[in-house]
Amino acid sequence: MQLNIYKDYEALSNDAAEIILAAVKANPTAVLCLATGDTPRFTYKLLAEKAIEEKVDFSGCSLIGLDEWVGISSGSEGDCRLFLERLVIAPLNIPASQVHLFNGLATDMDAECSNMDQAIAAKGGIDLMLVGVGLNGHIGFNEPGILTDLYAHVINLQEITQSIGQKYFNEAVAIKQGITLGFKHVLQSKKLIMMANGEKKAAIMQKAVEEEISSLVPASIIRTHAQSWAMLDEAAAALINLQILPDDVVVGHNFSNS
Ligand code: GLP
């Protein structure tokens, strides 16, 4: 895994947007899996602006949803579908027929999971996946202790995920379960970016980057992917000791050295 450290959230977001843009310039039919959450918000705003400025056409791309809250009405404030429609699908004009998102209200969740697995397989896999990191180290909704040999699945959310998840909603909601791509999808994606910003992510990013790889810190598993990047702003990287990095972490961009 390459570790890139940026001076601030703007620089981090700008580079992440450039990477997505470059991937689509190189492959106009790229299969993208883009996380929701606060971390990539600015990346998507910049991406939409850059796509217009540079006339990069996303209409041949596919978008795969990473995760969704179970039991939340589709299109309600806070659900992942609405987030992606507003920030990614509409601004980038990705056709609905090429968008595959989880339905958190599906009556048959097993079918919902296998439909997603089949949609990804039919497209030949995910070309570029961008994920954020939960305060407990989760990736998508792959919570600590998760098995790494899973494709899409439904999972009980930890208390911390349920309480932090309230920030996305206008009113208190019961969010006890999530539906998510599994680590098989994550690790089979051709390129993988993990993003984190802000002081609140510093402790978990230190664990993810410095400590032994463990499913107790799902973000650490990203290090086993051959084409992966951890992109952090200085605040999220503040506790990482660059002098004692494990062999599977290589420093790429480090703004303080440039
Ligand atoms: C959420 C989502 C993840 C997201 C992560 C971080 O619960 N399930 O996909 O990446 O937690 O969220 P944020 O970027 O808001 O910190």
Side-chain angles (χ1 to χ4, degrees):
M1 181 180 77
Q2 182 173 310
L3 172 63
N4 285 1
I5 302 173
Y6 300 87
K7 74 175 187 306
D8 54 27
Y9 181 57
E10 284 68 29
L12 162 69
S13 304
N14 189 65
D15 209 28
E18 289 289 350
I19 290 172
I20 301 169
L21 203 66
V24 175
K25 281 181 186 170
N27 175 13
T29 60
V31 179
L32 307 172
C33 175
L34 303 177
T36 59
D38 290 335
T39 309
R41 272 183 197 277
F42 195 48
T43 296
Y44 301 153
K45 180 171 185 292
L46 293 174
L47 179 62
E49 289 169 6
K50 287 173 191 285
I52 292 170
E53 271 166 34
E54 298 185 35
K55 298 187 170 50
V56 180
D57 184 6
F58 278 69
S59 66
C61 292
S62 297
L63 179 72
I64 304 295
L66 175 64
D67 53 17
E68 185 58 277
W69 310 101
V70 169
I72 298 297
S73 292
S74 183
S76 68
E77 200 61 52
D79 87 329
C80 300
R81 176 181 295 269
L82 185 65
F83 176 104
L84 289 169
E85 277 171 359
R86 280 189 188 146
L87 275 82
V88 175
I89 299 164
L92 296 175
N93 290 314
I94 301 178
S97 59
Q98 289 151 219
V99 173
H100 302 272
L101 306 180
F102 287 116
N103 173 9
L105 285 182
T107 47
D108 185 345
M109 280 294 172
D110 287 343
E112 192 65 14
C113 291
S114 60
N115 287 345
M116 181 61 94
D117 293 342
Q118 282 165 23
I120 294 171
K123 288 183 179 292
I126 294 167
D127 293 306
L128 176 66
M129 180 183 273
L130 184 153
V131 297
V133 184
L135 285 185
N136 61 358
H138 72 212
I139 296 292
F141 278 134
N142 291 277
E143 296 278 45
I146 193 68
L147 299 171
T148 52
D149 63 348
L150 296 176
Y151 285 110
H153 59 280
V154 172
I155 186 165
N156 293 332
L157 301 177
Q158 288 194 343
E159 288 289 340
I160 184 175
T161 303
Q162 296 182 37
S163 65
I164 290 174
Q166 302 295 326
K167 70 176 176 169
Y168 306 116
F169 297 89
N170 289 335
E171 55 192 359
V173 285
I175 41 175
K176 297 202 173 304
Q177 289 190 312
I179 181 169
T180 183
L181 298 190
F183 258 101
K184 275 207 157 183
H185 292 302
V186 175
L187 296 177
Q188 286 172 4
S189 62
K190 288 159 204 156
K191 287 187 177 168
L192 177 57
I193 297 171
M194 169 169 64
M195 276 180 86
N197 72 287
E199 200 185 337
K200 63 182 183 302
K201 298 283 172 76
I204 195 64
M205 292 319 299
Q206 180 190 27
K207 285 189 175 159
V209 172
E210 280 184 9
E211 291 184 3
E212 213 169 295
I213 295 171
S214 163
S215 68
L216 295 176
V217 181
S220 69
I221 299 168
I222 305 294
R223 284 159 43 200
T224 66
H225 189 293
Q227 290 279 315
S228 62
W229 291 262
M231 299 176 61
L232 313 183
D233 69 356
E234 190 188 28
L239 299 177
I240 298 171
N241 183 346
L242 299 181
Q243 310 310 319
I244 55 157
L245 290 174
D247 291 345
D248 53 41
V249 181
V250 177
V251 179
H253 177 76
N254 179 5
F255 91 93
S256 57
N257 290 339
S258 58

